[in-house]
Amino acid sequence: MELKFEELDSSIKKILLEGRMDIAGAEQIDLKFTALTATEKGLVLVDLSGVDFIASIGIRTLLSNAKAVSLKGGKMVICCPPGNVAKVLDTMDINSIVPVFETEKEALSELQAV
Amino acid sequence: MNDIQEAVAIGKERSYSIELVNDLDELTRMTVWLHDVAVSQHLHEDIIFSLDLCLNELVANIISYAFPDKNKHEICIKLCLVWDRDYLKVILEDEGIQFDPLDAPEPEKFKSLDKAQIGGLGIALVRKFMDEMHYQRINNCINSLTLIKKLNG
């Protein structure tokens, strides 16, 4: 997996994930992801548009990072999961604890309202 | 193709199998194998995703928990495509400790992010993405799990 990171204006970190979020993929990004979410209070947008597969290990990665952000007083949201990835998140009711949006625009307005 | 030949072809069960050892690196080899088989049989991408997800979850569980002795063990996956009934059957067999995934409790509903349990979602996903799941312990030494996925709907 690949993790790309950019700082958007108004102090939002955008994390773009690409590849398969299976055991091997999660292992490739976990350290980098944690380094970005565990440090300071922040607003984090995780873009899943480049993720074509997600297993429970990938959900674990997303939830543990969302928890870390929340513990620091920040907020993490997810956007743009492709069809089957969205179905996995929906099946597990992830949206009830980490907001999931179809578009980046909706996700950003959620973060900007914080 | 005449009627008789066609009937034989329709009734034919095609099966593919792979043997893996209990090492998490084997999941990558399994995934490549699964995609090769699925693409060669023109399976729909949603069906391929479901199989990919469920096999990754179940085989990862077997590799991680079925063999406490840490010795090398084989896991056999047999993928059967049964054309005449519009479903696909996957048989997963291992010689690990007895484990029936159907007995696994459903994960608790999330109450809040801070209190959310973030493990134990794998088998719940398998339940949702497969249409049927049957377990049997054979000769008190083999876990045999059969998964059924309907190809239409």
Side-chain angles (χ1 to χ4, degrees), chain B residues 71-86:
Chain B
N71 294 331
K72 191 170 162 185
H73 296 275
E74 281 186 354
I75 300 157
C76 178
I77 298 173
K78 193 173 163 193
L79 183 65
C80 303
L81 301 175
V82 185
W83 296 111
D84 55 343
R85 294 195 195 158
D86 295 330

Side-chain angles (χ1 to χ4, degrees), chain B residues 46-66:
Chain B
D46 293 347
I47 301 285
I48 302 177
F49 185 93
S50 297
L51 288 174
D52 194 353
L53 176 64
C54 297
L55 285 179
N56 265 277
E57 297 295 350
L58 292 165
V59 176
N61 269 357
I62 293 170
I63 291 170
S64 304
Y65 305 115

Side-chain angles (χ1 to χ4, degrees), chain B residues 51-150:
Chain B
L51 288 174
D52 194 353
L53 176 64
C54 297
L55 285 179
N56 265 277
E57 297 295 350
L58 292 165
V59 176
N61 269 357
I62 293 170
I63 291 170
S64 304
Y65 305 115
F67 306 105
D69 63 11
K70 304 293 176 206
N71 294 331
K72 191 170 162 185
H73 296 275
E74 281 186 354
I75 300 157
C76 178
I77 298 173
K78 193 173 163 193
L79 183 65
C80 303
L81 301 175
V82 185
W83 296 111
D84 55 343
R85 294 195 195 158
D86 295 330
Y87 66 82
L88 197 145
K89 183 165 74 178
V90 181
I91 300 168
L92 246 179
E93 290 187 344
D94 69 78
E95 295 184 5
I97 55 173
Q98 183 162 358
F99 177 65
D100 179 357
L102 294 160
D103 282 344
E106 284 285 334
E108 280 183 30
K109 254 185 136 22
F110 293 126
K111 291 188 186 89
S112 70
L113 178 58
D114 296 342
K115 289 183 188 153
Q117 294 286 329
I118 54 177
L121 300 178
I123 289 170
L125 279 170
V126 177
R127 284 198 173 110
K128 301 282 187 185
F129 279 78
M130 286 289 138
D131 293 300
E132 289 176 36
M133 184 156 59
H134 305 282
Y135 171 82
Q136 56 174 330
R137 182 79 171 166
I138 300 172
N139 296 334
N140 202 27
C141 67
I142 296 170
N143 291 309
S144 176
L145 189 68
T146 302
L147 308 170
I148 302 285
K149 180 72 182 171
K150 290 177 188 158

Side-chain angles (χ1 to χ4, degrees), chain A residues 20 56 67 70 84 91-92, chain B residues 46 52 57 110 113-114 116:
Chain A
R20 283 177 61 90
S56 60
K67 260 188 188 189
S70 167
N84 278 310
T91 300
M92 292 292 102
Chain B
D46 293 347
D52 194 353
E57 297 295 350
F110 293 126
L113 178 58
D114 296 342

